[in-house]
C-alpha cells in the first residue's frame, strides 16, 4: 500500500505538478513572473536548495567544537604546567575560591569569570572552594 502510494506520486502526480509549473525559458523571464507564479515555484525551489546544500555540505569546513579548544589562554604560558600550592593553614578567611576556568583576571583566585564562560560555551565549570574548619 505504501509503495503503491509512493509510486503513484512519482509516476503520476509529480509529472503533472512539474507540467503546471511556470518555468521561464530565459533568465529575463523570471522577472516577469507574477506573485502567484512565484508561490507555485517555491516548493520546487526549496527542494532544489536543500538538495544543493546536502550535496556541498561534506565539503564545507567543519566548525571546531569548544570542547577541543585550549582552556588556558594566557596564564603562565611560559611554564610547561601551571601548579599553584596553598597550605590550608595559611588561609586567612574561612572560604577561598580558586579559579578553574582560566579566565579570572585575579588568577588563581576566582573572580566569577566562569559565569560568562559558561554562558558562552555551555560549559559547567565552577571554582574550587576551600573552607577552613573553625575549631
Amino acid at each position: 500500500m505504501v509503495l503503491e502510494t509512493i509510486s503513484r506520486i512519482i509516476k503520476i502526480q509529480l509529472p503533472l505538478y512539474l507540467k503546471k509549473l511556470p518555468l521561464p525559458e530565459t533568465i529575463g523571464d523570471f522577472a516577469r513572473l507574477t506573485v502567484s507564479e512565484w508561490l507555485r515555484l517555491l516548493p520546487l525551489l526549496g527542494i532544489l536548495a536543500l538538495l544543493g546544500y546536502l550535496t556541498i555540505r561534506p565539503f564545507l569546513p567543519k566548525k571546531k567544537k569548544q570542547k577541543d579548544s585550549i582552556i588556558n589562554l594566557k596564564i603562565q604560558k611560559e611554564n610547561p604546567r601551571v601548579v599553584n600550592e596553598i597550605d590550608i593553614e595559611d588561609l586567612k578567611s574561612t572560604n577561598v575560591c580558586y579559579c578553574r576556568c582560566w579566565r579570572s583576571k585575579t588568577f588563581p583566585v576566582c573572580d566569577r569569570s566562569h559565569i560568562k564562560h559558561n554562558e558562552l560555551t555551555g560549559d559547567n565549570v565552577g571554582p574550587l572552594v576551600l573552607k577552613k574548619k573553625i575549631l
Side-chain angles (χ1 to χ4, degrees), residues 49-121:
L50 176 64
L51 289 174
Y53 171 73
L54 292 175
T55 301
I56 65 166
R57 187 172 161 207
F59 304 106
L60 295 175
K62 304 282 186 245
K63 291 182 181 177
K64 190 172 186 181
K65 294 182 181 177
Q66 187 67 27
K67 292 178 184 176
D68 299 334
S69 66
I70 295 173
I71 295 172
N72 181 7
L73 300 177
K74 60 185 174 189
I75 298 168
Q76 297 180 23
K77 293 302 277 186
E78 66 279 359
N79 296 334
R81 185 174 48 176
V82 179
V83 178
N84 298 94
E85 295 180 5
I86 296 174
D87 291 328
I88 300 292
E89 294 81 22
D90 294 341
L91 288 178
K92 302 229 182 329
S93 62
T94 56
N95 287 342
V96 180
C97 297
Y98 289 98
C99 177
R100 291 193 302 175
C101 72
W102 297 89
R103 305 296 191 270
S104 176
K105 306 258 187 298
T106 58
F107 191 85
V109 179
C110 176
D111 68 354
R112 300 176 56 83
S113 294
H114 60 274
I115 295 171
K116 184 177 179 186
H117 166 77
N118 289 346
E119 288 172 359
L120 292 173
T121 63

